[in-house]
Amino acid sequence: MKENQLSLKLYTESYPKENILKNILLLINMHKTGKLGGEIMPEDARPQIIKQESAENFHFLTLPMALNYQRNSYKLWESAAETFLDIETHDVFNPVLVKGMNQDELRYKLLKHKLALQPNKHINTWKTISDAVFDFFEGDVRNIFLRNNNDVIKIRVDLQSNYKKNFPYLSGHKIFNYWLYVIECYTPIKLSNRSEITVAPDTHIIQGSIKLGLISGSFDEFSQNRIAVSNAWREILEESNIAPIDIHTPLWLWSRRGFPVLE
């Protein structure tokens, strides 16, 4: 469905803009004060032995992200941790070593702990991205950020334009934005132009956006037009001091907990 075929119906009479902004602030405060449960996020499965500034941390947070499509995120990252901690499979997180692996070896290692679920597609995705990191960024994901001065706008051009075909799924609208958010959360990186990181519209974000009254329509409509959801968040927060991506975790937890009353 094309974006112009879907009416967002923003800020209806039932949900005026000022009310939505008020509820957004309540939601953020509920998250900060632990009223949304302080639930562990999927990426918290990252092994604590990994140093935040290390290349392997950036690789751990990048490669599995491209496989996070229509599957349980908690199980994905648990499998990623098991794969990382297994001496037999640890090397899949090193693009330099993946470059020298054949498909069968890589397939065995990614399937061993169910990090990959699809024996061809997931292996090809992992291999393609690893090779791109090796070929264009000297085998180190950190160079993506270093060469672009940690600027979200420049990083977006690289991954979504210059090397789009070399970063399948990771360059996609939803995963790209959430990847940047996770990188900022779990590494020392401080991104500039972070307001350009749009909301990553997964199932919980779409459901929460509808519940808040930000968008009007069915879940199925917006699941086919996720960019429209991101644009709605960009519009309502444009004149606030809230970056769109900062609403992700509070909204995600709110939806996951069944939308407790905002207070």
Side-chain angles (χ1 to χ4, degrees):
M1 180 182 296
K2 294 182 180 179
E3 186 174 340
N4 60 11
Q5 292 178 321
L6 182 62
S7 175
L8 294 182
K9 300 179 182 177
L10 295 180
Y11 327 136
T12 63
E13 291 182 3
S14 300
Y15 294 93
K17 182 176 182 178
E18 56 269 24
N19 286 4
I20 296 174
L21 286 170
K22 178 182 177 180
N23 285 334
I24 288 170
L25 292 175
L26 288 174
L27 185 59
I28 291 173
N29 187 62
M30 286 178 68
H31 176 236
K32 288 181 178 178
T33 56
K35 293 181 179 178
L36 295 178
E39 186 167 347
I40 293 174
M41 298 299 288
E43 299 79 17
D44 288 329
R46 183 183 69 88
Q48 295 303 304
I49 62 171
I50 305 178
K51 295 181 179 180
Q52 285 198 346
E53 70 277 7
S54 68
E56 63 182 6
N57 187 38
F58 282 76
H59 298 157
F60 181 86
L61 295 171
T62 299
L63 290 163
M65 189 69 70
L67 306 187
N68 192 11
Y69 184 76
Q70 294 184 338
R71 62 187 296 188
N72 185 304
S73 295
Y74 285 98
K75 292 186 180 300
L76 166 70
W77 290 100
E78 288 169 2
S79 294
E82 291 173 2
T83 303
F84 183 89
L85 294 171
D86 185 337
I87 191 171
E88 185 181 27
T89 57
H90 176 86
D91 55 358
V92 299
F93 292 97
N94 186 331
V96 176
L97 298 178
V98 172
K99 183 73 174 179
M101 291 183 194
N102 61 46
Q103 291 289 103
D104 289 337
E105 180 183 5
L106 182 60
R107 180 179 294 107
Y108 167 76
K109 293 184 176 188
L110 291 178
L111 290 175
K112 182 177 181 182
H113 297 289
K114 298 183 180 180
L115 177 49
L117 297 182
Q118 300 179 22
N120 294 314
K121 189 173 185 178
H122 283 174
I123 279 63
N124 289 336
T125 295
W126 194 283
K127 177 69 171 171
T128 298
I129 294 175
S130 295
D131 286 353
V133 173
F134 180 89
D135 293 338
F136 306 117
F137 297 99
E138 300 174 1
D140 191 333
V141 167
R142 292 176 299 181
N143 286 330
I144 296 174
F145 297 89
L146 181 64
R147 293 186 191 179
N148 289 296
N149 298 315
N150 296 339
D151 187 325
V152 170
I153 295 174
K154 294 179 181 179
I155 296 167
R156 187 184 301 279
V157 170
D158 249 1
L159 262 66
Q160 295 190 324
S161 295
N162 298 340
Y163 303 108
K164 181 177 177 62
K165 68 178 182 179
N166 304 105
F167 289 88
Y169 292 98
L170 194 67
S171 61
H173 179 73
K174 182 183 78 169
I175 294 180
F176 173 79
N177 286 285
Y178 190 64
W179 169 64
L180 289 181
Y181 171 71
V182 167
I183 288 291
E184 194 175 52
C185 287
Y186 296 90
T187 78
I189 287 287
K190 300 299 179 186
L191 297 169
S192 61
N193 287 314
R194 66 185 306 277
S195 62
E196 295 296 320
I197 309 175
T198 63
V199 168
D202 65 7
T203 297
H204 287 297
I205 299 305
I206 295 172
Q207 291 174 337
S209 301
I210 294 172
K211 185 72 173 179
L212 276 176
L214 176 68
I215 53 179
S216 177
S218 71
F219 173 82
D220 288 340
E221 286 178 314
F222 288 108
S223 67
Q224 297 299 316
N225 191 3
R226 296 173 188 268
I227 291 178
V229 181
S230 296
N231 288 343
W233 278 104
R234 183 191 299 275
E235 180 177 335
I236 197 169
L237 296 176
E238 187 173 11
E239 297 178 1
S240 74
N241 60 358
I242 303 170
I245 195 61
D246 288 338
I247 195 64
H248 181 91
T249 298
L251 193 64
W252 194 89
L253 291 172
W254 187 51
S255 173
R256 187 172 172 81
R257 287 178 62 83
F259 304 112
V261 174
L262 297 174
E263 56 183 5

